[in-house]
Amino acid sequence: MDKKEAILDAALVLFAERGFYGTPVPLIAERAGVGAGTIYRYFESKEALVNALYQKWKEEMFQATFADFPADIPPRQMFREGWRRQVEFARQYPTAMKFLELHHHAPYLDQKSQALNQQISAPLLDFYDRARQAQMIKDMPVEILLAITQGVLMAMMKVYWQGQVDLTPALIDLVEKVCWQALRR
């Protein structure tokens, strides 16, 4: 593994565990096995490092969720497929998912990170808007509809990561159905 990747890997774990403000650069360097000055060869600041990570993992999550997404299926099936893909991403990359959740609305996210977040949220918001206009789901702001389902997804993943539940396919499907029922008119 090259030094830049070691820095990114170390920063991901530390930012997910300790947050941005609780993670000093020397601790990242120590965990990555590099000198603190080496970090600044790749990233001009700690803010630049956290933004690079945020952009990398937001893009990874977007690809995992939307690559080859079937566009010609009914909205109910779209919701189910999107849910399944997000759960799979969270299971495969728990540290990245924790990191993204923790830093989602952070004040240190730069313009590029914020723009990427808006770009990635657009298909989800569009889905909720179309389903709302078709009167399939409740007439609420699409941002709230998204917050409801994402909140449930993250809460489910957190109890799974803590070892409190076994995340079986049946349980994943049941929670998805409960979310849909909560949104449905």
Side-chain angles (χ1 to χ4, degrees):
M1 176 183 318
D2 72 357
K3 289 180 182 183
K4 184 176 182 181
E5 285 302 312
I7 292 165
L8 288 167
D9 289 350
L12 177 66
V13 170
L14 291 168
F15 286 146
E17 289 174 358
R18 304 168 58 102
F20 177 77
Y21 297 110
T23 304
V25 170
L27 188 59
I28 297 169
E30 179 182 324
R31 184 173 187 113
V34 301
T38 302
I39 291 176
Y40 295 106
R41 287 188 197 141
Y42 298 101
F43 306 97
E44 70 179 45
S45 64
K46 187 166 81 165
E47 289 83 0
L49 173 55
V50 78
N51 277 280
L53 273 173
Y54 187 84
Q55 293 160 23
K56 173 186 174 180
W57 285 106
K58 267 296 190 181
E59 185 61 39
E60 290 281 338
M61 185 175 70
F62 179 78
Q63 290 303 317
T65 304
F66 294 109
D68 301 322
F69 197 90
D72 57 344
I73 59 177
R76 177 67 184 100
Q77 287 177 293
M78 282 183 148
F79 184 84
R80 184 178 301 120
E81 180 64 14
W83 178 270
R84 185 192 64 73
R85 289 178 180 212
Q86 287 182 51
V87 169
E88 184 56 35
F89 178 83
R91 288 180 94 163
Q92 191 171 358
Y93 304 105
T95 305
M97 195 69 167
K98 291 173 193 175
F99 167 83
L100 290 171
E101 175 69 13
L102 183 61
H103 301 279
H104 182 63
H105 293 291
Y108 41 79
L109 291 181
D110 63 19
Q111 292 274 18
K112 186 175 178 183
S113 292
Q114 291 174 22
L116 180 62
N117 187 49
Q118 288 179 343
Q119 175 190 351
I120 288 171
S121 297
L124 294 170
L125 294 172
D126 182 58
F127 165 79
Y128 286 113
D129 191 45
R130 284 186 287 116
R132 187 187 64 173
Q133 288 179 12
Q135 298 186 355
M136 297 181 73
I137 60 177
K138 292 179 174 58
D139 188 18
M140 299 172 68
V142 292
E143 295 82 4
I144 300 298
L145 295 168
L146 180 60
I148 290 168
T149 56
Q150 293 301 298
V152 170
L153 181 113
M154 282 308 299
M156 177 184 74
M157 294 313 301
K158 286 176 184 177
V159 296
Y160 166 68
W161 292 326
Q162 294 168 355
Q164 296 173 347
V165 296
D166 183 20
L167 207 52
T168 64
L171 182 58
I172 293 167
D173 289 346
L174 179 59
V175 176
E176 180 272 332
K177 287 175 187 167
V178 168
C179 278
W180 182 254
Q181 290 293 344
L183 300 179
R184 206 179 78 174
R185 277 188 180 249

